[in-house]
């Protein structure tokens, strides 16, 4: 429960940090970004939803599909900061032959006789999101996907 409270706190803090209007040169060609007054920006930021536990659960279960920059390119120029990083989706099956995770083992009687062995590798998708607004007060959510490597699920026992 404490972990969820910490996560919710981090996400709320991230949502309260706005990146403000973007320079026209930082947006894909064809997108229109208007410069907002501080009053308009404040109004837009106050209309951005604060995530609840249900929204955070949805973020963990399914990785977002709207890629980074899609909302900004569509004219949603006022964005919050990125949320905390959350694992999402299912972790991959163990690949015992993936050499990304390995360990060096030496013969205790002959310390110079060492070999590298795989320890098995899994990958976990990760998600961050931010909410962007346009001058009409509509919102768009975009996601920043990444992954992390998890080592030690079981190697093949064959030296590499």
């Amino acid at each position: 429960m404490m972990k969820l409270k910490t996560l919710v706190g981090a996400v709320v803090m991230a949502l309260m940090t706005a990146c403000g209007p973007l320079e026209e040169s930082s947006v894909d060609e064809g997108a229109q970004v208007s410069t907002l007054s501080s009053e308009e920006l404040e109004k837009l930021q106050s209309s951005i939803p604060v995530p609840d536990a249900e929204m955070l659960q949805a973020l963990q279960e399914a990785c977002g599909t709207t890629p980074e920059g899609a909302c900004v390119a569509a004219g949603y120029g006022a964005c919050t900061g990125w949320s905390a990083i959350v694992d999402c989706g299912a972790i991959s099956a163990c690949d015992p032959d993936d050499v990304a995770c390995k360990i060096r083992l030496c013969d205790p009687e002959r310390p110079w006789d060492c070999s590298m062995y795989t320890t098995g590798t899994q990958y976990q998708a990760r998600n961050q999101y931010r909410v962007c607004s346009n001058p009409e007060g509509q919102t768009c959510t975009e996601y920043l996907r990444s992954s992390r490597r998890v080592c030690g699920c079981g190697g093949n026992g064959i030296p590499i």
Side-chain angles (χ1 to χ4, degrees):
M1 183 66 170
M2 186 61 163
K3 196 174 194 180
L4 180 61
K5 287 181 181 178
T6 303
L7 179 62
V8 170
V11 170
V12 169
M13 287 300 293
L15 286 173
M16 291 183 175
T17 306
C19 61
L22 298 174
E23 297 292 324
E24 192 169 342
S25 63
S26 68
V27 179
D28 293 340
E29 287 186 33
Q32 297 177 359
V33 177
S34 60
T35 304
L36 303 174
S37 69
S38 59
E39 293 83 25
E40 291 172 320
L41 183 59
E42 190 174 313
K43 181 181 175 188
L44 286 175
Q45 288 172 346
S46 67
S47 69
I48 294 173
V50 176
D52 57 11
E54 185 178 321
M55 185 175 183
L56 292 173
Q57 182 67 30
L59 183 65
Q60 289 175 337
E61 289 174 2
C63 294
T65 57
T66 307
E68 175 188 11
C71 292
V72 173
Y76 294 81
C79 300
T80 64
W82 289 102
S83 72
I85 298 172
V86 178
D87 288 345
C88 63
I91 194 166
S92 71
C94 183
D95 182 353
D97 298 320
D98 188 335
V99 295
C101 293
K102 54 190 171 269
I103 189 171
R104 182 174 185 234
L105 296 176
C106 300
D107 184 334
E109 294 178 15
R110 299 183 316 208
W112 63 90
D113 185 14
C114 303
S115 295
M116 298 298 283
Y117 294 88
T118 60
T119 62
T121 308
Q122 293 176 288
Y123 292 93
Q124 173 66 61
R126 306 180 95 190
N127 232 356
Q128 285 180 277
Y129 73 94
R130 68 179 178 180
V131 179
C132 299
S133 297
N134 66 13
E136 290 79 39
Q138 299 166 322
T139 60
C140 176
T141 304
E142 57 185 28
Y143 296 88
L144 183 60
R145 286 197 58 193
S146 60
S147 67
R148 67 182 173 95
R149 181 176 53 225
V150 180
C151 295
C153 58
N156 60 17
I158 300 170
I160 53 173

